[in-house]
Amino acid sequence: MIKLKCRYVTALMLLSAAIGVGSAVGTETTANASSKYLNLGQSGYVRTKRAMYVGIYQKHGNTYKPLLKKKGALLRVAAIQQASSRGAVKVSFTSGAVHYSRLSKLRFTTRPTIPLTKANFKNVKLKAPIRGTVLRAGKGFKRDSQFNYGNSSAFYLTLDNYLQYYSKAAMTKYDPMGEMVIDGGHTMDNFKPTASIKMTKTTVKGNTTTVQYRHYIKGIPGKKLGAHKYQIKITNRHTLGGRNFGEEDRGSWTNYTVNGKPYFAGMIYTD
């Protein structure tokens, strides 16, 4: 039976949700609709309705202090706990896929302790659901003689409007098993990018996400529109790919193009 890498299974079990390749996490609770608890939407993201502490800590010098999240702050539900269909719904949060420097100063409570009440939170549908999706250059996973699957460059878009790029060498270092997932769940990893740039504009039309930024990044097939203006168009082709590697490993992915160049989003599964 095929199963996910163990460090990722934990987040799936806690969320009681399935993850589709290259897509956001879908979650649902069974709380009574008339209760005071929020019934989570498909994105797994919520916004705060008031300033509050939600179990996230920020580094100050050599210590971490509780971080007060402002009204309207975007949060990723990392784990959920409900004793019964009518019982209290408690969750834990992360910041989601924010940029490297910001994330490196944060810590998250793993145990669900925050009541997910309608008074304090509302569901969010991301305008650009591709955010946090690791897009790898090429037409699908390959394995080299060293049993390495992280052998192509990659990038992803953060929730706070950064494009983070990882060279082939960086992916070989961080992701040799082809399992990098930046979803903001319990297994929130933080990998130092080869290059990072603030996005100046992001639009979504149909299957295509268009991103603009100010400076050229080697390794990204950006189109120069003018002085300090580059653009990529990321298109989800809504086609799937897969390949078996020996008797144990299997790659599965969704196909994309970036300015017409082949890219894919997926991961390696192991028996």
Side-chain angles (χ1 to χ4, degrees):
M1 181 179 69
I2 293 176
K3 61 183 179 180
L4 290 173
K5 302 288 184 180
C6 61
R7 70 177 181 86
Y8 197 46
V9 170
T10 302
L12 287 175
M13 292 175 66
L14 287 167
L15 281 166
S16 299
I19 291 183
V21 173
S23 65
V25 177
T27 59
E28 281 295 335
T29 73
T30 56
N32 189 292
S34 62
S35 76
K36 66 178 182 178
Y37 297 101
L38 186 68
N39 198 27
L40 272 176
Q42 289 299 310
S43 74
Y45 290 90
V46 298
R47 287 194 186 277
T48 57
K49 289 187 175 181
R50 64 180 180 85
M52 59 189 299
Y53 293 101
V54 294
I56 297 178
Y57 297 81
Q58 187 175 51
K59 190 173 184 179
H60 293 269
N62 295 322
T63 62
Y64 285 83
K65 297 181 180 180
L67 177 62
L68 179 66
K69 301 298 291 186
K70 297 179 180 179
K71 178 181 179 181
L74 180 66
L75 299 169
R76 175 71 164 81
V77 176
I80 187 168
Q81 182 182 71
Q82 185 175 11
S84 67
S85 62
R86 296 176 182 271
V89 179
K90 294 183 178 181
V91 299
S92 63
F93 292 108
T94 70
S95 61
V98 296
H99 73 278
Y100 173 81
S101 295
R102 179 179 171 187
L103 186 58
S104 64
K105 298 177 182 177
L106 300 177
R107 282 186 179 175
F108 310 105
T109 300
T110 59
R111 189 164 57 89
T113 59
I114 309 299
L116 189 67
T117 61
K118 295 176 182 177
N120 289 332
F121 303 100
K122 62 180 180 180
N123 285 320
V124 172
K125 181 179 180 181
L126 296 180
K127 293 181 180 180
I130 197 175
R131 293 180 189 271
T133 300
V134 179
L135 295 164
R136 304 168 185 262
K139 296 182 179 180
F141 283 108
K142 298 178 181 180
R143 186 171 72 179
D144 64 21
S145 59
Q146 301 301 317
F147 300 98
N148 168 47
Y149 298 102
N151 49 21
S152 68
S153 63
F155 73 92
Y156 67 91
L157 311 179
T158 72
L159 294 168
D160 51 352
N161 298 312
Y162 281 81
L163 187 160
Q164 294 200 158
Y165 167 75
Y166 298 83
S167 67
K168 179 179 177 179
M171 291 300 285
T172 300
K173 174 183 177 181
Y174 294 135
D175 190 40
M177 295 306 296
E179 58 177 357
M180 183 187 286
V181 176
I182 311 294
D183 73 334
H186 260 296
T187 56
M188 190 76 217
D189 291 320
N190 194 23
F191 305 98
K192 186 176 182 178
T194 306
S196 179
I197 186 121
K198 184 78 171 178
M199 300 185 295
T200 57
K201 185 178 181 180
T202 307
T203 58
V204 179
K205 185 176 182 180
N207 299 331
T208 299
T209 301
T210 301
V211 176
Q212 293 182 359
Y213 50 97
R214 294 187 182 279
H215 303 291
Y216 172 75
I217 296 180
K218 183 180 180 180
I220 298 289
K223 179 180 179 181
K224 187 174 183 178
L225 302 181
H228 306 296
K229 192 173 185 179
Y230 289 82
Q231 177 176 282
I232 54 173
K233 289 190 175 183
I234 306 166
T235 301
N236 186 340
R237 297 180 61 195
H238 288 292
T239 59
L240 303 177
R243 183 180 177 184
N244 291 322
F245 299 94
E247 298 181 354
E248 295 184 353
D249 294 349
R250 172 176 170 76
S252 181
W253 60 83
T254 299
N255 296 305
Y256 288 80
T257 59
V258 178
N259 280 2
K261 303 292 185 181
Y263 276 71
F264 67 100
M267 66 184 302
I268 297 293
Y269 299 80
T270 298
D271 284 344

